[in-house]
Amino acid sequence: MSKGQILIIDDEEQLRKLLGRLLSLEGYTILEAGNIKAAAKLLEKEEVQVILSDVKLPDGNGVQFTSELKRLYPETEVIVLTAYGNIADGVQAIKNGAFDYLTKGDDNNRILPLVSKAMDKAQLQFRIRSLENKIGSKYDFGNIIGQSKEIKDAIAVAEKVAATDVTVLLLGETGSGKEVFAQAIHRASSRRSQPFVAVNCSAFGREILESELFGHKAGAFTSAIKDKKGFLEEAHNGTIFLDEIGEMAIELQAKLLRVLETQEFYKVGDSKPIKVNIRIIAATNRELEKEIEAGHFRADLYYRLSAFQITLPSLNERSKDIPMLALFFLQQFAPKNGKKITGMSEAFSKALQQHNWKGNIRELRNVIERAVILSDAPELDTSSLPFEFQFAGPASVNHSSLTLADVEKQHIIRVLQFAKGNKTKAAEMMQIGLTTLYNKIKEYNI
């Protein structure tokens, strides 16, 4: 198995062959090019971790080419081969982004250790890039699950605003996917390669949130033993997502307003302002207009935050998407729990669609995880759903007959179905005696 791919760029064929032979014996795959043009063509087709390049090439300068290589292939490491006595080329190459330089004929003992170090660094950088791409793609708009008109409309609006730098306020019930949307907006923006910092404003008390958000100077308070960067500073050049903004203390709202207006703030205990370049995305499940009337939220901050509002639909408003979301979670949790569950019964899917999802997508995720853990069958059925699912939903009551006797009869039938005809178990579930159950069965002719 190859230890990595190396490209040697040198117009001296004999040197290329000699160096290539030496490195191939160490387990590396070797590519060769006699000039910059040939090297550029190879790099378009091949993923190369390390490049060994001469300075003087027939169609250009290797030092200048190093700068172009690092711009196009930042994860690839470049080692420059300099002529004897021309160390200045190597130094300039390092300034242009080269890993190091070798002097031809004098550094033979350095070649293998240097190439090994460059390869280790490059492969780590390739792994990091791959991981970042995977994480990033997870939050792309294309990976937001749903085909309902409601979610498609929300995505279409978010995609348009993502290309701008405008402040966004995401509205919607708890668990409706506001952070996923915030991540997707960031990933689709020009700030995608910069930090995305998420802060749950309801998770901290006033003093702690102030310190976490704005940072503090050493000595600002008893436990402040050293300077601390706040979330705003960490998000410099990127995006900060302020979840549950409606929970923020009104004193901190004034400081946040200053950030929006001036892109600067003061650390706790400091008199020197800090400049930042950030985009703010906020979210809340509260009705901020009512919070303003009650004196709990600043009107001026609301108007600055709500430059662009996007309301996310609740899960109950997009019930068409529930089976698709449930299948997605099933495919996540089944392998994780060592289960070979490939689908859901029609009754299971129907029960999900009839449920009142107060916790939205977060609640659905938890229900599917629980069902996977409890189920031993190849598909999920209603027996693995929480008890309240068995009798909840619009189909559980016959609205043409709402007498107490009819409702009680329907309830007994459903409990018996859930207990698979086991009357002892059904009686225990309803917390009545077995004799009482038999009498009810006879009375209602079940």
Side-chain angles (χ1 to χ4, degrees):
M1 183 177 176
S2 175
K3 291 166 65 177
Q5 195 148 250
I6 297 173
L7 171 60
I8 302 171
I9 311 172
D10 199 300
D11 59 339
E12 296 182 35
E13 184 178 359
Q14 189 175 356
L15 179 63
R16 292 201 313 267
K17 299 297 182 188
L18 181 63
L19 198 51
R21 176 65 176 161
L22 176 67
L23 293 170
S24 64
L25 289 172
E26 293 297 314
Y28 300 112
T29 300
I30 306 300
L31 300 173
E32 297 179 26
N35 54 51
I36 289 174
K37 186 177 179 181
K41 284 186 177 180
L42 272 172
L43 289 167
E44 288 175 1
K45 297 182 290 184
E46 300 283 347
E47 187 177 87
V48 173
Q49 288 77 45
V50 176
I51 296 172
L52 293 170
S53 176
D54 191 13
V55 172
K56 296 190 183 298
L57 295 165
D59 54 350
N61 182 285
V63 176
Q64 294 173 2
F65 188 43
T66 296
S67 182
E68 180 69 4
L69 287 170
K70 292 303 290 182
R71 185 183 69 82
L72 294 172
Y73 311 102
E75 294 83 18
T76 300
E77 291 302 330
V78 182
I79 297 172
V80 172
L81 305 174
T82 69
Y84 177 75
N86 196 6
I87 306 301
D89 282 337
V91 173
Q92 184 57 49
I94 290 176
K95 289 181 179 178
N96 288 356
F99 181 79
D100 209 334
Y101 65 90
L102 288 167
T103 304
K104 288 183 178 181
D106 281 5
D107 286 340
N108 292 339
N109 293 333
R110 290 185 62 212
I111 292 175
L112 294 181
L114 191 60
V115 167
S116 179
K117 287 180 183 178
M119 182 62 72
D120 288 344
K121 184 181 178 184
Q123 288 179 336
L124 176 61
Q125 289 169 167
F126 273 94
R127 285 196 294 271
I128 291 171
R129 185 190 69 177
S130 176
L131 182 61
E132 287 175 343
N133 288 341
K134 286 179 182 177
I135 293 171
S137 64
K138 177 182 176 182
Y139 294 106
D140 287 346
F141 284 114
N143 285 328
I144 294 177
I145 298 167
Q147 293 298 318
S148 63
K149 181 181 184 300
E150 292 78 7
I151 197 65
K152 282 186 172 182
D153 287 348
I155 291 171
V157 173
E159 283 179 324
K160 288 180 181 178
V161 77
T164 73
D165 230 11
V166 70
T167 302
V168 179
L169 180 62
L170 299 172
L171 304 173
E173 295 178 7
T174 298
S176 57
K178 294 189 285 294
E179 184 168 350
V180 172
F181 262 75
Q183 285 267 21
I185 290 170
H186 172 72
R187 287 292 305 173
S189 75
S190 59
R191 298 175 182 263
R192 67 181 67 87
S193 61
Q194 301 300 325
F196 175 89
V197 178
V199 185
N200 187 333
C201 298
S202 65
F204 304 97
R206 181 208 173 285
E207 291 80 8
I208 296 176
L209 180 58
E210 183 176 20
S211 174
E212 293 294 327
L213 201 55
F214 299 97
H216 61 248
K217 290 290 288 182
F221 44 87
T222 306
S223 59
I225 58 176
K226 60 181 181 179
D227 290 0
K228 173 185 170 62
K229 269 188 176 183
F231 291 133
L232 288 167
E233 199 171 353
E234 295 285 356
H236 181 55
N237 290 325
T239 303
I240 187 163
F241 172 55
L242 300 175
D243 198 8
E244 304 299 348
I245 189 73
E247 306 292 333
M248 182 180 283
I250 200 154
E251 299 87 351
L252 295 187
Q253 293 175 26
K255 296 187 72 172
L256 180 62
L257 180 62
R258 177 180 172 82
V259 177
L260 280 163
E261 290 177 340
T262 66
Q263 291 277 292
E264 70 175 27
F265 63 92
Y266 292 89
K267 284 186 175 183
V268 177
D270 197 4
S271 59
K272 181 182 177 182
I274 294 174
K275 280 280 186 183
V276 286
N277 176 10
I278 54 173
R279 180 185 198 171
I280 294 178
I281 300 176
T284 184
N285 61 355
R286 289 176 176 255
E287 292 185 40
L288 293 184
E289 293 94 337
K290 290 185 178 179
E291 295 297 312
I292 292 168
E293 290 175 9
H296 299 151
F297 204 84
R298 294 179 62 107
D300 47 5
L301 178 59
Y302 170 71
Y303 295 129
R304 289 303 301 263
L305 289 173
S306 60
F308 206 100
Q309 288 190 22
I310 302 174
T311 300
L312 304 189
S314 68
L315 195 55
N316 294 324
E317 292 173 310
R318 46 182 293 218
S319 59
K320 175 184 176 182
D321 296 331
I322 290 174
M324 194 183 305
L325 285 160
L327 183 60
F328 172 75
F329 292 132
L330 169 60
Q331 290 169 344
Q332 275 191 330
F333 293 125
K336 181 180 174 182
N337 290 280
K339 300 292 183 76
K340 294 182 178 179
I341 305 173
T342 57
M344 304 168 290
S345 70
E346 187 177 340
F348 183 93
S349 182
K350 187 176 181 182
L352 294 181
Q353 288 181 289
Q354 291 178 343
H355 182 63
N356 180 24
W357 295 98
K358 295 178 181 178
N360 291 288
I361 298 169
R362 191 177 296 131
E363 183 187 356
L364 174 62
R365 181 182 184 277
N366 294 340
V367 166
I368 299 301
E369 183 174 22
R370 177 188 184 278
V372 167
I373 292 169
L374 292 177
S375 181
D376 293 316
E379 69 173 16
L380 297 178
D381 59 40
T382 54
S383 64
S384 60
L385 285 168
F387 182 75
E388 64 268 19
F389 276 74
Q390 313 303 324
F391 317 106
S396 60
V397 176
N398 180 359
H399 294 284
S400 64
S401 181
L402 290 174
T403 66
L404 182 60
D406 286 323
V407 172
E408 184 177 52
K409 177 181 178 180
Q410 291 300 318
H411 181 65
I412 292 170
I413 290 171
R414 282 176 171 78
V415 173
L416 284 168
Q417 288 173 340
F418 180 69
K420 295 182 171 62
N422 186 324
K423 296 178 180 62
T424 302
K425 182 179 177 182
E428 289 175 356
M429 291 171 66
M430 289 185 286
Q431 297 182 358
I432 61 174
L434 186 58
T435 303
T436 302
L437 177 58
Y438 273 107
N439 288 337
K440 293 289 184 183
I441 291 171
K442 184 177 179 181
E443 179 186 347
Y444 295 131
N445 193 29
I446 298 173

